[in-house]
Amino acid sequence: MNPFAKLLAISRRKSPWIYSVNSGSCNGCDIEIGPCVSPRYDGEQIGMLRQGSPKHADILLVTGTVTRRTRNALLEIYAQMPSPKAVVAIGSCPASGNVFAGSPTIDGPLDKFIPVDVWVSGCPPRPQLIIAGVAQAAQLLAEGKTADQKRKAKP
Amino acid sequence: MMGGSWQYVFAILAWPGLLGAAALGFFYLWVARKLNARLQGRRGPPFFQPFFDFVKLLGKETVVSRGVNPALFYALPFMSLAATVFGLVIVPVPGHAVDSFPGDIILLLYLLEVPVICDVMAGYVSQSIYGQVSAMREAVMSLAYNLPLLAAVIAMAQNAGSFRIGTLQTASFGVVTFLAAIAFLVAIPARLKSNPFSIPNAEQEIVAGAHIEYNSAPLAIFELSHALEVVLLYDAFFVLFVPHTGSVLADTALYFLISLGLTVLVTLAAATTARLTVKRAFRFYWVWGGLAAAAAMVVAVVG
């Protein structure tokens, strides 16, 4: 690996900027994302910053079951994020639909629409787990192993 | 021996231009973030964090929204950066001797204003409603804090009888210096868009300010330009208000101490206050900033 690529890989690992989107979550997971950058858990130690615009972010945190009403917004936000990007699914809802599974108003699971790199389990997951998920996604970004990077690497 | 033109290239690219100021600017940004974190009871980011953020942004793909003029989109961050670098080069900081020419402080003030204009234009170019609100706020704030900032510089010039940085630097220290320094100091947080004057980039209100549609490399250049602006503003404070000792070593030590002190002051103000509304911030600058400026002017003219 040449030195520039190495520096870029380190920078990607050390600077995960997140953007969270609620795709029909009960708000439980969203409340747990907030403390990740608070004094108690301090995600800034690993460079984690919450961004207001998906265009500034590297990692998309998705909470909720992906309802019919939020699906298009979610796809639009994912498309707006500049590559390389990673997706972290927060909680049980994006994975299985959780207690809403089988409802006619939900379109999940999340990986039907966008490729997911890290699944964080829990209902809701603790902030430590969310930070661990973000760190893992940042590691994948550094190694070039996210679904987005693999897709771009194919001819 | 270095030729004349090589000296300029060195000044622009290395010290006090791009590389040196970028290192210093990233350092001050890190100090601000770390101190802010410590004040909130957090540990804060690692030392190289602003540098990592910059490199990471450089290595991303650029997305240009539909309806946005790509030429302007790419040109604005570079214009902002270039103006700041040229501003850095005309300021005689320690280790950099410049031939001061009449009116160079006015040129410096113009160059200080270019990044603000670039930000305002970036907000309007973005085609985003948040960007436009931010651009408007930034333009209004520029009218507010420029009153004490410009008055401080004019009072100093009146006091020294010259618009040359070289003459201003060697002017005697007195009441005018003190009053003008206060007026300048008051203007710094608004110029750097830090709390309580983080009105144009209020992320809880208008998402990400004028840079909302900016991403990857253009955003990285804007961030770099901001880091250099911090250094340029501290440089301006240093040459205008800090007495010249004559010894290079003492000057250098003073330069770093003053810059660090300003960073700590601005961060303390940011960490302990909440954002003001545009109206209140404007009133603050035109009343209290205006008073400090008027006092400095009166003393400069009468005294």
Side-chain angles (χ1 to χ4, degrees):
Chain A
M1 207 191 263
N2 73 53
F4 288 110
K6 206 167 191 171
L7 181 63
L8 185 59
I10 294 173
S11 302
R12 279 177 181 160
R13 182 162 57 80
K14 296 264 195 181
S15 170
W17 289 3
I18 61 167
Y19 181 82
S20 61
V21 60
N22 177 335
S23 65
S25 153
C26 69
N27 234 7
C29 295
D30 300 286
I31 288 170
E32 298 301 317
I33 292 173
C36 292
V37 287
S38 75
R40 193 170 183 89
Y41 300 103
D42 193 21
E44 204 180 3
Q45 282 181 47
I46 60 162
M48 178 175 166
L49 276 188
R50 210 171 180 179
Q51 293 295 330
S53 162
K55 292 197 171 163
H56 297 183
D58 309 294
I59 296 173
L60 182 67
L61 304 187
V62 185
T63 60
T65 51
V66 192
T67 57
R68 282 202 181 159
R69 276 179 179 271
T70 55
R71 185 189 62 199
N72 289 339
L74 178 67
L75 291 175
E76 170 78 6
I77 284 167
Y78 180 73
Q80 278 190 20
M81 286 175 66
S83 292
K85 55 194 168 189
V87 177
V88 179
I90 304 292
S92 307
C93 287
S96 63
N98 206 358
V99 292
F100 309 105
S103 159
T105 60
I106 70 168
D107 268 1
L110 175 65
D111 56 355
K112 249 165 63 182
F113 307 106
I114 55 178
V116 178
D117 297 297
V118 180
W119 301 92
V120 177
S121 60
C123 183
R126 296 179 67 100
Q128 292 100 315
L129 263 181
I130 298 177
I131 293 178
V134 169
Q136 197 184 333
Q139 181 67 36
L140 290 175
L141 278 171
E143 290 166 0
K145 285 183 182 163
T146 61
D148 173 63
Q149 282 162 314
K150 281 183 195 159
R151 188 173 56 81
K152 285 269 156 69
K154 267 184 214 158
Chain B
M1 201 184 144
M2 280 206 292
S5 49
W6 283 110
Q7 228 166 326
Y8 286 115
V9 171
F10 178 81
I12 289 172
L13 292 182
W15 176 257
L18 201 58
L19 277 178
L24 269 184
F26 284 153
F27 172 65
Y28 298 146
L29 288 185
W30 172 77
V31 170
R33 278 173 73 173
K34 186 80 177 174
L35 184 62
N36 200 14
R38 293 307 295 155
L39 288 169
Q40 292 175 349
R42 295 188 285 124
R43 283 189 175 275
F47 183 73
F48 287 108
Q49 192 62 51
F51 176 69
F52 286 141
D53 291 346
F54 175 72
V55 174
K56 176 207 71 182
L57 284 173
L58 276 188
K60 294 194 81 171
E61 210 174 60
T62 311
V63 178
V64 185
S65 310
R66 204 182 299 125
V68 170
N69 181 343
L72 259 180
F73 182 86
Y74 285 110
L76 284 171
F78 286 98
M79 272 163 64
S80 171
L81 181 69
T84 321
V85 170
F86 288 128
L88 285 163
V89 171
I90 63 166
V91 182
V93 291
H96 175 62
V98 270
D99 299 326
S100 195
F101 52 89
D104 51 0
I105 188 78
I106 297 173
L107 176 63
L108 178 64
L109 288 174
Y110 269 106
L111 289 173
L112 260 175
E113 205 56 21
V114 172
V116 178
I117 294 168
C118 286
D119 264 7
V120 171
M121 283 173 71
Y124 282 119
V125 163
S126 70
Q127 303 276 338
S128 152
I129 189 78
Y130 298 113
Q132 290 175 13
V133 170
S134 165
M136 200 176 64
R137 287 180 175 198
E138 180 136 14
V140 171
M141 282 309 289
S142 161
L143 284 182
Y145 66 73
N146 265 322
L147 173 77
L149 193 112
L150 294 180
V153 174
I154 294 168
M156 287 304 287
Q158 168 72 26
N159 189 37
S162 163
F163 273 110
R164 287 167 77 119
I165 295 178
T167 318
L168 287 170
Q169 204 177 14
T170 49
S172 60
F173 193 82
V175 185
V176 185
T177 323
F178 182 70
L179 289 171
I182 289 178
F184 196 95
L185 211 56
V186 161
I188 287 180
R191 180 62 188 76
L192 297 180
K193 287 180 262 178
S194 91
N195 255 352
F197 306 107
S198 60
I199 293 164
N201 58 349
E203 69 262 340
Q204 292 88 349
E205 297 166 21
I206 48 174
V207 188
H211 300 161
I212 180 163
E213 293 297 322
Y214 275 84
N215 52 71
S216 35
L219 182 65
I221 301 296
F222 261 134
E223 300 271 326
L224 177 63
S225 169
H226 178 71
L228 297 189
E229 269 175 66
V230 175
V231 179
L232 181 56
L233 212 61
Y234 293 173
D235 281 2
F237 185 88
F238 177 75
V239 295
L240 280 174
F241 306 113
V242 179
H244 204 53
T245 57
S247 135
V248 176
L249 202 67
D251 271 348
T252 313
L254 211 55
Y255 172 68
F256 287 116
L257 275 179
I258 293 286
S259 301
L260 264 182
L262 286 174
T263 313
V264 170
L265 266 182
V266 170
T267 313
L268 279 178
T272 50
T273 52
R275 186 178 308 118
L276 295 171
T277 56
V278 183
K279 193 178 157 193
R280 276 168 184 259
F282 200 91
R283 193 189 291 152
F284 171 82
Y285 275 115
W286 280 69
V287 174
W288 297 109
L291 272 179
M297 286 292 259
V298 168
V299 178
V301 173
V302 177

